Amino acid sequence: MVGLSSAERKAERMRAFVERDKIIGDRAYNLIMGLVVFYGLVVNYILCATIGPKIAFSMNPIVFIIGYFVLAIAGTVIANRSNSPVISFLGYNMVVLPVGVLISTSVYYYGGVNSAVVTGAFYYTMLITGIMILASLLFPKFFSKLGGILGIALFGIVISGLIMSLFGFYSNTYSYIVAIIFALYIGYDFWRSQQFPKTADNAVDCALDIYLDIINLFIRILSIMGRNNGGSSSGGRAK
């Protein structure tokens, strides 16, 4: 499961003093956030379609895992601690690149970017993302109350996932629950993004939160669809 930004850092972002000349309009703020999320997804697509699997499979698994966590955690910290949109975008890339290589292994396993399973998972993810963002705009009070509930739910699924991995157990019900939680996280993090001071730096930071929600949702939907379709597919695999 791809890591999320901590609640403490989000709270600090809310409390941080912001100079008036750094405030931008709502439209510009949301445009920057949307473009940064879109950029991350495009980079991930390119990695999945080209060198991502080759990088992952050519490395020692332990080295790969350590490198993934070091880059992803460092990138998250840099993005959330920085007050500069340029530095935050650098941190964002430090997360996007290793995440792209990581998910490329799942995409490869399920037949590559052109397989029916992968494209189906992508379309469902984008559809759910759009619905959740729209829902957060229509029902802001509902999403404003989800922070604590989702935090507890996330902790529960992480612990449950570790236990299930330890015993080699898989449950479709668990996968659906995880997908629902991350779908709600998309709506919640979009709602929360509108509560922060509207600066370019906060737009990049919030884009990181939403990007990670989308990636986690995609990975879970891909797993569900892949198992429902009988596992891996040979079509479209990278050579």
Side-chain angles (χ1 to χ4, degrees), residues 3 11 21 29 71 130 134 143 156 170:
D21 62 353
Y29 177 81
L71 282 174
L134 179 61
F143 283 93
Y170 176 85

Side-chain angles (χ1 to χ4, degrees), residues 37 41 121-136 143 182-188 190 210-211 213-215 217-218 221:
V37 172
L41 297 177
F122 174 78
Y123 289 140
Y124 278 119
T125 300
M126 293 300 100
L127 176 61
I128 293 171
T129 297
I131 291 173
M132 287 297 102
I133 290 175
L134 179 61
S136 71
F143 283 93
F182 280 110
L184 290 172
Y185 252 117
I186 292 171
Y188 172 73
F190 183 81
I210 295 171
Y211 161 80
D213 297 337
I214 294 172
I215 290 299
L217 176 62
F218 170 75
I221 292 177

Side-chain angles (χ1 to χ4, degrees), residues 39-50:
Y39 163 84
L41 297 177
V42 169
V43 169
N44 285 172
Y45 173 84
I46 293 171
L47 284 172
C48 289
T50 55

Side-chain angles (χ1 to χ4, degrees), residues 87-107:
I87 300 300
S88 290
F89 187 66
L90 173 63
Y92 180 78
N93 278 277
M94 290 174 65
V95 177
V96 165
L97 293 174
V99 166
V101 174
L102 178 65
I103 64 173
S104 71
T105 60
S106 295
V107 169

Side-chain angles (χ1 to χ4, degrees), residues 147-165:
I149 297 173
L150 289 176
I152 294 171
L154 180 62
F155 178 77
I157 63 173
V158 169
I159 298 301
S160 300
L162 290 174
I163 294 173
M164 290 169 64
S165 297

